[in-house]
Amino acid sequence: MQIVCCLLLHLPLLPLFAQEEFIDVLSIKSFQDSPLDSSFAWIENYQYQDSKTYNLKAHEVCLQAISRSYLTNDDATIAKAHRLLRDWHDATKVFTFDSIIYHDLKAIEYYTKINDLEAVAQLNNTLAMDYLGRSEFKKGEEALFRALAIFETLGDEAGIARAYQSLSLFSLYMQEPERSIQYADQAMALFKKADDYIAMAMTYLRYIKSYTLLEQYDKAYQAATACIELCETKVPADALERGFSGRDIAGRAYSFRGNLSIATQHYELALEDYTKTWKMSVEDYGEDISAGWRGEMGIACRYLGRYEEALEHLLAATQLIESLDQQSANIIDYYQEIAICYKALGNHKEALAYQEKAMALKDKVYAEKVATLEKETFAKYETGKKDQLLASQEADLAQKAYTQKLTIVGTSVMAMLLLTLFYFFRKNQQTNTELSIKNQENELLLKEVHHRVKNNLEMVSSLLKLQSVKTNNDAAKDVMLASQSRVQSMGIIHQKLYQGKNLAAIEMLDYFKNLGENSLDAFGLNEEVEIIYNMNPVELDIDTAVPIGLIVNELLTNSLKYAFPEGDKGIITLSLKEIDNKQLQLVVADNGIGKPQNTAPRGTGFGTQLVELLTSQLQGTAKSDYQHGTQWSFYLEKANLN
């Protein structure tokens, strides 16, 4: 298991003067009458304020500076204005990455006109990082290649090294660890030549991640050790690399090395490294804000069987994350680890509670991912409108400039104006076409999300199957096979979503047929057992389909395992019907041996608990009947489809 912890940084607010006073200054538009350099100086020294009104007023000053820069007809001034507004957007995050990237591209355009190659190269490097923020890895990589070509032309070895280091990072994000290592090698050679120790340390982190992805744990461990030694012996105390100090980088290296020890089952070594990371963070940032690192320590203690100590660390980490209201992937793992510890200590009530918290948070994270896709679609649409507004503003500025020269150029100005208007008309049409294409891309992206979730679930299923083959404990093997079956039932749902036309609903008859076929194949009972689907097609949203799928999977598995002993032939019937617009009736029945009286429960009982939990989640009721085989009947609430 690989745990990735993030550093928690505090950014202090340092206003130049009182917020109310500054808004008053803006309201009288004092910057319109001041020299343009004064506006530029103010933008360069702008400090972010936690006030939407304040920041939007400040944005007016920035736009005012852009407008005035165009009136100068000086490409260098226009380039500087766009670059400053790009930095303002990056510092405030008031608008989306689209705004940052727009001004990146405009600044590059005007710096190219004045042949300022160094500025063009630096901005392409910056543009790549902004594309990274939007997960547009290919565009970011192309920007880095442009920067690299210019740095090579200028003979700027420091710039070349930074470009290679960034290319190594992009390769990691694109899951290409071999290429990441190649770029890291080129960057490392130049950093060594310049004795840039902190940049070398950051590059070692690229090696750690790349070798870990390749499962070359020895090389990853060596890179982590080299990174730590470099930070502790060579990196200056005041040096910074991408905002991180040498101690920050060393702390991450200790954490990564701990992950490698977990992967290779050296749990004592992992605990030592995790503890070092935590202690370094306590020294630099204080004990309260460093509690997040204790989650890793808790996992190591859990592997060592020190459950009470593990609980102490894991609870401290989750309390910090919950208090900060962060959407951290780690907290789901921590909830599950806490459940394991409570179960080992015999506290099944708390174990179930934390397992439920983990499942609920997973559902919430998934729902938020879908919501984020919807918001991104809307944001891109709004960005398109904003780009049209900026284009219109540029047209107005150009028209003013032409008007000033009207007496000189006469009819030529009119002709140029008509050409300009035609150009922006065509540009507006192109923008609308691009918006339509982006909407289609987002639909494909949502399908890709379901596809990747399904692939990840298949990977989890394969890992469970592989582990079950290697274990000699029959009880553990049964648990892992049951878990594999549950994971497969969820994977089929995501497969149906990305293969179907409706991304919001699953057709349950087809889903049950796939689930039944997989279950019969898994138990090798295709000839002995027949599954009858007594139902019409029913479409359900994913929030309803997943719990129902897990319920049916549990009951199918129980029937196939226990209902037909010694190869008896049998029939299993599945039925799902809509009672009304809000309720569903689910029936799972078999004509097997039923449940003989005075017999001990079979299995661990977790499957029954899971069925009860899922029924409660859907605000339903369940009833079982063992007179003629086994029959489970459910009345469940149906969610409305949007």
Side-chain angles (χ1 to χ4, degrees), residues 40-192:
F40 285 167
W42 179 86
I43 297 171
E44 285 182 293
N45 293 286
Y46 176 79
Q47 299 294 328
Y48 174 74
Q49 293 287 310
D50 190 16
S51 164
K52 184 176 181 180
T53 301
Y54 179 84
N55 288 311
L56 288 176
K57 285 285 188 179
H59 185 236
E60 291 179 12
V61 175
C62 297
L63 291 178
Q64 192 181 100
I66 287 281
S67 299
R68 294 174 63 197
S69 70
Y70 274 92
L71 290 174
T72 67
N73 290 320
D74 180 64
D75 291 336
T77 301
I78 297 171
K80 183 176 181 180
H82 279 293
R83 188 170 191 173
L84 289 173
L85 189 48
R86 178 257 166 232
D87 292 342
W88 183 90
H89 278 294
D90 187 37
T92 62
K93 301 295 190 297
V94 174
F95 300 98
T96 65
F97 272 104
D98 290 343
S99 298
I100 302 176
I101 291 172
Y102 172 82
H103 291 289
D104 277 329
L105 294 172
K106 296 300 290 185
I108 290 171
E109 175 187 343
Y110 281 94
Y111 276 120
T112 301
K113 288 182 178 181
I114 62 175
N115 202 33
D116 189 341
L117 296 182
E118 182 178 358
V120 172
Q122 291 173 350
L123 279 165
N124 270 293
N125 213 342
T126 302
L127 175 63
M129 295 300 107
D130 295 333
Y131 277 130
L132 182 64
R134 274 204 328 193
S135 299
E136 296 188 40
F137 305 129
K138 283 297 182 184
K139 288 185 178 180
E141 192 177 46
E142 291 169 1
L144 286 172
F145 284 134
R146 291 194 296 269
L148 181 61
I150 297 172
F151 283 133
E152 288 175 341
T153 300
L154 297 173
D156 184 350
E157 292 191 347
I160 295 170
R162 298 288 174 189
Y164 278 131
Q165 187 189 60
S166 297
L167 283 167
S168 176
L169 177 63
F170 270 77
S171 297
L172 276 175
Y173 273 99
M174 292 187 288
Q175 299 295 304
E176 298 178 2
E178 294 94 344
R179 204 152 65 100
S180 176
I181 292 170
Q182 293 174 0
Y183 288 133
D185 286 340
Q186 292 172 288
M188 183 65 82
L190 293 170
F191 288 140
K192 285 182 177 179

Side-chain angles (χ1 to χ4, degrees), residues 154-421:
L154 297 173
D156 184 350
E157 292 191 347
I160 295 170
R162 298 288 174 189
Y164 278 131
Q165 187 189 60
S166 297
L167 283 167
S168 176
L169 177 63
F170 270 77
S171 297
L172 276 175
Y173 273 99
M174 292 187 288
Q175 299 295 304
E176 298 178 2
E178 294 94 344
R179 204 152 65 100
S180 176
I181 292 170
Q182 293 174 0
Y183 288 133
D185 286 340
Q186 292 172 288
M188 183 65 82
L190 293 170
F191 288 140
K192 285 182 177 179
K193 181 179 178 181
D195 290 334
D196 192 342
Y197 297 115
I198 192 166
M200 292 167 58
M202 183 64 80
T203 306
Y204 273 123
L205 296 183
R206 307 281 185 268
Y207 284 122
I208 299 169
K209 299 290 288 182
S210 299
Y211 285 125
T212 300
L213 286 175
L214 292 170
E215 297 185 2
Q216 297 180 17
Y217 298 129
D218 288 343
K219 290 184 177 180
Y221 197 93
Q222 291 170 8
T225 302
C227 179
I228 292 167
E229 291 176 354
L230 188 65
C231 289
E232 293 179 347
T233 59
K234 295 289 185 69
V235 174
D238 59 346
L240 291 175
E241 176 70 11
R242 300 183 187 272
F244 294 103
S245 68
R247 283 177 60 82
D248 292 333
I249 297 172
R252 285 182 170 230
Y254 275 122
S255 175
F256 291 158
R257 197 168 72 175
N259 296 339
L260 293 167
S261 296
I262 291 289
T264 55
Q265 300 182 3
H266 294 90
Y267 304 127
E268 288 286 359
L269 291 176
L271 182 57
E272 289 179 12
D273 281 337
Y274 289 151
T275 303
K276 288 176 182 176
T277 299
W278 173 61
K279 288 183 177 179
M280 291 174 69
S281 181
V282 170
E283 291 174 6
D284 293 343
Y285 301 104
E287 187 166 351
D288 290 340
I289 205 68
S290 302
W293 293 108
R294 295 180 65 184
E296 295 181 332
M297 299 163 63
I299 291 173
C301 289
R302 199 272 293 172
Y303 277 114
L304 292 168
R306 290 150 58 173
Y307 298 111
E308 292 184 353
E309 186 178 349
L311 269 178
E312 181 182 351
H313 291 307
L314 289 165
L315 289 172
T318 55
Q319 286 170 5
L320 174 65
I321 297 172
E322 289 170 349
S323 69
L324 296 174
D325 195 24
Q326 289 187 338
Q327 287 295 332
S328 169
N330 293 346
I331 197 169
I332 297 176
D333 293 330
Y334 293 164
Y335 284 153
Q336 292 174 331
E337 292 288 335
I338 291 171
I340 293 171
C341 292
Y342 273 126
K343 183 177 180 181
L345 294 170
N347 191 340
H348 298 289
K349 180 179 179 181
E350 289 294 333
L352 181 59
Y354 273 95
Q355 190 64 37
E356 289 175 352
K357 288 178 74 172
M359 292 176 65
L361 187 54
K362 282 182 179 178
D363 291 342
K364 180 181 177 183
V365 169
Y366 178 81
E368 288 179 351
K369 285 182 179 178
V370 174
T372 299
L373 287 173
E374 294 175 351
K375 289 180 181 178
E376 287 178 354
T377 302
F378 179 75
K380 289 180 179 180
Y381 171 74
E382 290 296 317
T383 299
K385 293 200 297 184
K386 183 182 67 180
D387 289 344
Q388 292 179 37
L389 177 61
L390 288 171
S392 177
Q393 290 175 341
E394 290 181 15
D396 291 341
L397 292 171
Q399 187 174 359
K400 289 180 182 179
Y402 297 147
T403 302
Q404 292 174 356
K405 300 176 183 178
L406 186 60
T407 56
I408 302 173
V409 281
T411 57
S412 299
V413 172
M414 292 299 297
M416 188 175 295
L417 178 59
L418 290 173
L419 289 173
T420 303
L421 291 173

Side-chain angles (χ1 to χ4, degrees), residues 456-473:
N456 289 337
L457 289 171
E458 282 188 348
M459 183 178 294
V460 173
S461 176
S462 299
L463 290 172
L464 288 168
K465 183 176 181 180
L466 179 63
Q467 190 65 41
S468 68
V469 171
K470 292 188 176 181
T471 184
N472 295 321
N473 187 308

